[in-house]
Amino acid sequence: MCDACGICGERRDLQLAGAGDITQVEAQIRQVVTGVLREVEMYGVNGLKERRAQIPVGVSARHVHVCQEDLEKLFGPGYMLTKERDLLQPGEFASKELVTLVGPDGKTMSRVRILGPLRSRTQVELARTDGIALGIKNLPMRRSGELRGAAPITLIGPRGSVYLPEAAMRSNRHIHMGPRDAERFGVKQNDVVQLRLGGQEGVTFHNVQIRIHETWKLVAHLDTDDANAAGIVCDLQAELIK
Amino acid sequence: MCDACGICGERRDLQLAGAGDITQVEAQIRQVVTGVLREVEMYGVNGLKERRAQIPVGVSARHVHVCQEDLEKLFGPGYMLTKERDLLQPGEFASKELVTLVGPDGKTMSRVRILGPLRSRTQVELARTDGIALGIKNLPMRRSGELRGAAPITLIGPRGSVYLPEAAMRSNRHIHMGPRDAERFGVKQNDVVQLRLGGQEGVTFHNVQIRIHETWKLVAHLDTDDANAAGIVCDLQAELIK
């Protein structure tokens, strides 16, 4: 399980190697070596020590945030989320609760995890690939919480379902950081920067939003489409470019 | 159906609108407008006329190239591919023939199309997302025809199956062009360039290989992971950056 975002492991099939599984061990070593080579490629051997604008990447798999009202419709009156594990940011957690998503033509996607704590409004964060699988044409990209124009979607839980006319979206690329990191990088709330990933499948992502909060730890959040395009997994370092 | 690469429509759910389907018409108009806005954003209204390094993008969905020997193992002795439709490049076509892929743990992916003409060696081109769905860890990126270190995969046809120890890969990003386009852009065979796509989900792809052939028409080939990361469909224009 990945520790950076805490939710990607299920999607990207990362697993700790069993002691006897040499293929797994090899794959993990290859991943570490690839990461180092990417950085050497980008900065040179001598440049590695002087990197300043390095951001760890967390890959966000599809997930759901729910409000109390929708949680009760899905899981029953008075229901509360059960913590499965903590996420990187203080207070945030992956819950044990899973829902099924249903798209406009009845295509379904099961076992999508709810992340806590509860929010004021339910929001379904998908990659564009997930949207296509659900039959959602042109999944809109939105900043978290800005759901005007988001796609309609149905959530199904063990005790009921809920239809949401504006809830499904592709989350915009963003970097979480605290005030001290913001000062170090010379950026402020809602600045738009670029994020460069090296290697054979290297990509520079544009339109990456800076999000600052007192308690946040430094992490760039990309969805699984961006991660798979760039051929990366969690914990790789990306370069912030202003 | 997309005319640029001829094979993406099935994957990306692009459809011509029926006369009465206003949602479809709206979605198509929105796509055209988005394309224009991307270009205005990148070049400015006055800059649109002077664009020089513009390349149309073709999105390649997963597909298979086969050799005669493997075709006969899958479809029977003496079998020949049936053309479904021509692709952009002269002589290349999407066939009617579909195979099922099986990954290392037995995960399957059905209805994967064979592209013609036959090649000297069978090659399975997947996006990283496809690789994950098939249980292939770390799908290697390769140039077309360079299969050393490609992943093992099994193909199943109506008359038999074939196990290939080195056949599945993620195709590297590349741009097809003829000699006159190469001269115009100032590039030569196997040069590595970048490809920039604008818009809200904008991305610059690095490590894009130039491939020149006398008869080739100009098109940049990205796979569905790259296309979904950048939020694009076929026929959008990308900017070549040297």
Side-chain angles (χ1 to χ4, degrees):
Chain A
M1 185 59 65
C2 156
D3 288 326
C5 69
I7 57 173
C8 71
E10 208 175 346
R11 281 291 299 284
R12 294 184 58 84
D13 259 347
L14 301 180
Q15 289 170 350
L16 287 176
D21 187 344
I22 188 72
T23 316
Q24 284 287 322
V25 174
E26 277 182 11
Q28 282 182 35
I29 292 171
R30 197 170 296 119
Q31 234 165 55
V32 172
V33 172
T34 302
V36 173
L37 287 177
R38 278 172 195 268
E39 298 190 3
V40 171
E41 181 215 29
M42 282 167 72
Y43 303 99
V45 174
N46 293 326
L48 284 181
K49 288 181 197 158
E50 287 131 40
R51 289 168 307 157
R52 294 223 176 103
Q54 288 291 294
I55 315 268
V57 174
V59 181
S60 291
R62 55 185 175 241
H63 62 271
V64 178
H65 300 283
V66 293
C67 65
Q68 180 70 38
E69 185 186 343
D70 290 338
L71 179 67
E72 296 194 7
K73 284 182 187 165
L74 295 166
F75 289 86
Y79 197 87
M80 290 171 69
L81 288 175
T82 324
K83 187 188 289 187
E84 164 119 342
R85 60 181 179 281
D86 288 315
L87 299 182
L88 179 69
Q89 304 301 351
E92 300 190 0
F93 61 93
S95 82
K96 290 189 189 300
E97 282 72 21
L98 306 170
V99 294
T100 295
L101 307 180
V102 188
D105 309 322
K107 288 178 181 157
T108 64
M109 184 170 276
S110 61
R111 297 181 58 77
V112 178
R113 196 169 297 277
I114 297 177
L115 302 189
L118 296 176
R119 299 234 179 146
S120 60
R121 198 167 160 195
T122 297
Q123 169 174 317
V124 178
E125 297 186 33
L126 304 172
R128 188 164 287 278
T129 301
D130 300 325
I132 293 168
L134 279 163
I136 300 172
K137 290 185 211 310
N138 294 317
L139 182 74
M141 176 173 272
R142 289 288 180 277
R143 294 179 174 194
S144 189
E146 300 181 2
L147 294 177
R148 193 185 166 110
I153 196 157
T154 298
L155 278 60
I156 300 187
R159 296 284 295 277
S161 68
V162 54
Y163 171 79
L164 301 167
E166 284 184 321
M169 44 92 119
R170 180 179 193 194
S171 178
N172 72 328
R173 299 160 188 151
H174 58 272
I175 304 175
H176 294 272
M177 62 176 70
R180 274 187 300 278
D181 281 322
E183 196 176 337
R184 181 161 64 100
F185 294 126
V187 294
K188 57 185 195 306
Q189 190 75 278
N190 292 325
D191 272 2
V192 173
V193 300
Q194 301 174 62
L195 204 56
R196 184 180 168 175
L197 290 143
Q200 193 186 10
E201 295 161 78
V203 168
T204 297
F205 293 108
H206 306 299
N207 294 337
V208 183
Q209 180 197 9
I210 298 290
R211 291 165 60 179
I212 304 168
H213 185 275
E214 189 60 49
T215 65
W216 278 346
K217 295 179 183 168
L218 183 65
V219 64
H221 273 172
L222 298 177
D223 68 11
T224 45
D225 279 346
D226 281 345
N228 288 334
I232 59 156
V233 291
C234 279
D235 280 342
L236 265 176
Q237 301 284 312
E239 182 187 7
L240 185 153
I241 302 170
K242 288 196 281 186
Chain B
M1 186 57 66
C2 157
D3 288 325
C5 70
I7 56 172
C8 71
E10 207 175 348
R11 280 295 296 284
R12 294 185 59 84
D13 258 347
L14 302 180
Q15 287 170 350
L16 287 176
D21 187 344
I22 189 69
T23 316
Q24 284 287 321
V25 174
E26 276 182 12
Q28 283 183 35
I29 292 171
R30 197 170 295 120
Q31 234 165 57
V32 171
V33 172
T34 303
V36 173
L37 288 176
R38 277 172 196 269
E39 298 192 1
V40 171
E41 181 214 28
M42 282 167 71
Y43 302 101
V45 174
N46 294 325
L48 284 181
K49 288 180 196 157
E50 288 132 41
R51 290 168 305 159
R52 293 222 178 104
Q54 288 292 294
I55 315 267
V57 174
V59 181
S60 291
R62 55 183 176 242
H63 62 271
V64 177
H65 300 283
V66 293
C67 66
Q68 180 69 38
E69 184 186 345
D70 290 337
L71 180 67
E72 297 194 8
K73 284 182 187 164
L74 296 166
F75 289 85
Y79 196 86
M80 291 171 69
L81 288 175
T82 323
K83 186 188 290 185
E84 165 121 339
R85 60 181 179 280
D86 289 315
L87 299 182
L88 178 69
Q89 304 300 352
E92 301 189 0
F93 62 93
S95 82
K96 290 189 190 300
E97 282 72 22
L98 305 170
V99 295
T100 294
L101 306 179
V102 188
D105 309 321
K107 289 180 182 156
T108 64
M109 184 171 278
S110 62
R111 298 182 58 78
V112 179
R113 196 169 297 279
I114 297 177
L115 302 190
L118 296 176
R119 299 231 179 148
S120 60
R121 198 168 160 195
T122 297
Q123 169 173 316
V124 178
E125 297 187 32
L126 304 172
R128 188 164 286 278
T129 301
D130 299 325
I132 293 169
L134 279 163
I136 300 172
K137 291 185 211 311
N138 293 319
L139 182 74
M141 176 172 273
R142 288 290 179 275
R143 294 179 174 194
S144 190
E146 298 181 2
L147 294 177
R148 194 185 165 112
I153 195 157
T154 299
L155 278 60
I156 300 188
R159 297 284 296 276
S161 69
V162 55
Y163 170 80
L164 301 167
E166 285 184 321
M169 44 92 118
R170 181 179 192 196
S171 178
N172 74 326
R173 300 160 186 151
H174 58 272
I175 303 175
H176 294 273
M177 62 175 72
R180 273 187 300 277
D181 281 322
E183 198 176 335
R184 181 160 65 99
F185 294 126
V187 295
K188 57 186 196 306
Q189 190 75 277
N190 292 325
D191 272 3
V192 173
V193 300
Q194 301 175 61
L195 204 56
R196 182 178 169 176
L197 289 143
Q200 193 188 9
E201 295 161 80
V203 167
T204 297
F205 293 109
H206 306 299
N207 294 336
V208 183
Q209 179 196 11
I210 298 290
R211 290 165 60 178
I212 304 167
H213 185 275
E214 189 60 48
T215 65
W216 279 346
K217 294 179 183 169
L218 183 65
V219 65
H221 273 172
L222 298 177
D223 69 10
T224 45
D225 279 346
D226 281 346
N228 288 333
I232 58 156
V233 291
C234 279
D235 280 344
L236 266 176
Q237 302 284 312
E239 182 186 8
L240 185 154
I241 302 170
K242 286 197 282 188

